[in-house]
Amino acid sequence: MPDRPATSRQPKTMPLDELSEHLQLSKQTLVRWTDRHLIDADLYWSLSDANEETRMIDLTDETLDFLEDFAADYREDVVSRTEARRILKQIDRKKIKKLIRAGDVEDVEVDEETRVVVGSLEDYLMRRERVEEEEDDE
């Protein structure tokens, strides 16, 4: 029986921020997928070398490979404004319209309906997460 590579089953540990940047997905999305068991990963808090709390994620190489492939396709997908509100965790319909008008998220017309590009939602969430982190650092 041939030996399987140990790396595929051994958990890989990395800061959630690093995975978020690597995949170009918001931390919110990665946490939601992990909490819903859509991906095989574990989240926990750890202290950095600078003694700051850091969100960490454990995942296998197999899961990371899946996420790299899936994230690219996911970012290209388009969703309704209702689904965009769900992704952004926004209740107010007018907020999505404002984001579209301001150019903060990208929209396209599909069968005479306005759809929102998921990648632009993820970019918006990542910008918002960075601003929140900067404000916390002050």
Side-chain angles (χ1 to χ4, degrees):
M1 191 154 106
D3 290 336
R4 298 179 83 187
T7 56
S8 68
R9 290 283 169 210
Q10 296 299 318
K12 177 181 233 163
T13 300
M14 67 177 60
L16 185 60
D17 291 347
E18 186 179 307
L19 183 62
S20 171
E21 287 295 324
H22 175 70
L23 298 173
Q24 290 299 292
L25 294 176
S26 67
K27 292 180 284 187
Q28 171 186 303
T29 295
L30 292 169
V31 168
R32 188 172 59 239
W33 289 354
T34 302
D35 288 348
R36 291 182 175 176
H37 304 288
L38 299 174
I39 58 172
D40 185 20
D42 292 310
L43 291 165
Y44 60 94
W45 290 96
S46 182
L47 286 177
S48 70
D49 293 337
N51 205 29
E52 296 174 347
E53 280 189 329
T54 303
R55 195 82 189 258
M56 302 294 288
I57 188 165
D58 286 345
L59 64 166
T60 62
D61 287 339
E62 204 170 67
T63 300
L64 182 57
D65 290 344
F66 165 77
L67 282 172
E68 288 170 340
D69 289 341
F70 183 76
D73 292 337
Y74 177 72
R75 286 183 54 83
E76 297 296 320
D77 202 3
V78 294
V79 295
S80 68
R81 286 183 280 184
T82 301
E83 183 66 11
R85 288 197 323 265
R86 189 191 66 72
I87 291 170
L88 294 175
K89 295 188 174 187
Q90 300 283 340
I91 297 168
D92 187 1
R93 293 179 57 182
K94 293 178 185 174
K95 178 70 173 176
I96 299 300
K97 287 182 182 180
K98 286 180 185 176
L99 291 173
I100 290 170
R101 277 191 218 117
D104 291 333
V105 297
E106 182 182 343
D107 67 318
V108 293
E109 289 292 319
V110 178
D111 297 329
E112 298 181 25
E113 181 185 354
T114 299
R115 309 283 283 180
V116 182
V117 178
V118 173
S120 71
L121 294 171
E122 289 296 326
D123 293 342
Y124 173 77
L125 285 170
M126 291 174 67
R127 283 191 306 271
R128 202 170 74 184
E129 288 170 348
R130 281 188 214 108
V131 167
E132 289 171 3
E133 286 174 3
E134 289 170 4
E135 289 172 355
D136 288 346
D137 290 344
E138 291 177 356

